[in-house]
Amino acid sequence: MNATASRQRGSKELWLDAAYELLIAEGVDAVKIMPLAKVLNLSRTGFYWFFEDIAELHGAMVLRWESKNTGNLVQQCDLEAANICEALFNLMDCWLDPTLFDAPLDLAIRNWARVDEDLEQRIREADKQRIAAVTRMFERHGFSYEQAEVLGLTVIYTQIGYISMQVTENASQRLARVQHYVELFASAPPSEKDVKVFLNRHAAN
């Protein structure tokens, strides 16, 4: 009996995943209880086992974005690295590995924030955290605070531009360009060893 009821209700992650898909495909206006229930082939009452209302679901979606995109980016910046090029390659993993950074979700959240002032403020805070993490990374590798801050701004704004413009590149093109971005941001060419380690890390992707 309990197993049957559970199947009829789904799970919190199931509803959240369905909301994510609708947000990416159609925007926040499409994320409503009845469309979600239809997609999942569940009763709308199942939704209320996991969320008080649609606002709570929206909040859970934003938390997922903050944890995955901002949280992972900060962690990648904080990884130990022997030099700035290796550190930048660690950060660039975010742009190539969707398990670390979800670009479609970032775009959807930024589009949503155009009609939500509170979310717009959270995006500002997230961008500050990202810029601060990249700035600290450059400082750890000998750059002055002034240099590091400008480089942090440049790195993050470049990636926001990629996302907002929905730049399309095949995986091999983007992978081949990364070492040149690293050289540009580091003001020094990466070693063959660092390039090889990075490329090997993404060879199977």
Side-chain angles (χ1 to χ4, degrees):
M1 190 75 167
N2 288 339
T4 300
S6 180
R7 284 196 297 271
Q8 291 171 344
R9 293 193 298 264
S11 68
K12 187 170 186 176
E13 284 302 307
L14 195 66
W15 286 95
L16 188 54
D17 288 343
Y20 163 86
E21 295 294 339
L22 277 177
L23 177 68
I24 298 299
E26 302 180 41
V28 70
D29 288 342
V31 183
K32 297 177 180 176
I33 298 170
M34 280 305 297
L36 288 170
K38 186 175 181 180
V39 166
L40 293 170
N41 196 26
L42 295 171
S43 166
R44 73 191 302 273
T45 58
F47 174 87
Y48 293 101
W49 280 91
F50 308 106
F51 301 97
E52 182 177 345
D53 52 26
I54 197 67
E56 186 176 349
L57 174 64
H58 285 175
M61 293 163 64
V62 173
L63 285 173
R64 174 183 277 194
W65 163 73
E66 288 175 333
S67 174
K68 182 169 187 177
N69 284 11
T70 302
N72 284 343
L73 186 149
V74 171
Q75 286 183 1
Q76 289 299 112
C77 287
D78 288 344
L79 290 175
E80 285 192 26
N83 55 68
I84 186 58
C85 291
E86 183 182 345
L88 280 162
F89 279 129
N90 290 336
L91 173 57
M92 297 293 169
D93 287 344
C94 291
W95 318 144
L96 294 161
D97 184 348
T99 67
L100 287 175
F101 189 96
D102 189 328
L105 178 58
D106 222 64
L107 178 62
I109 292 288
R110 290 178 188 279
N111 287 338
W112 176 2
R114 294 175 183 175
V115 294
D116 187 320
E117 290 184 4
D118 290 338
L119 182 55
E120 184 179 16
Q121 180 58 36
R122 287 177 79 160
I123 285 178
R124 290 197 192 102
E125 290 302 317
D127 286 339
K128 284 181 183 177
Q129 290 178 42
R130 297 177 189 186
I131 291 164
V134 181
T135 299
R136 290 193 303 270
M137 181 185 74
F138 277 102
E139 283 189 287
R140 285 197 302 273
H141 292 280
F143 290 78
S144 70
Y145 173 76
E146 291 76 15
Q147 292 172 323
E149 183 184 36
V150 170
L151 286 163
L153 291 166
T154 304
V155 169
I156 295 302
Y157 290 162
T158 297
Q159 187 57 28
I160 291 173
Y162 254 87
I163 293 167
S164 299
M165 294 173 66
Q166 300 183 63
V167 175
T168 55
E169 297 172 304
N170 64 48
S172 61
Q173 281 180 324
R174 191 157 204 199
L175 190 60
R177 289 173 178 158
V178 169
Q179 61 184 292
H180 302 298
Y181 279 114
V182 166
E183 181 173 355
L184 178 66
F185 294 138
S187 299
S191 68
E192 290 186 12
K193 177 186 174 183
D194 286 341
V195 173
K196 185 176 180 180
V197 168
F198 175 76
L199 293 177
N200 286 342
R201 208 154 59 216
H202 296 278
N205 295 340

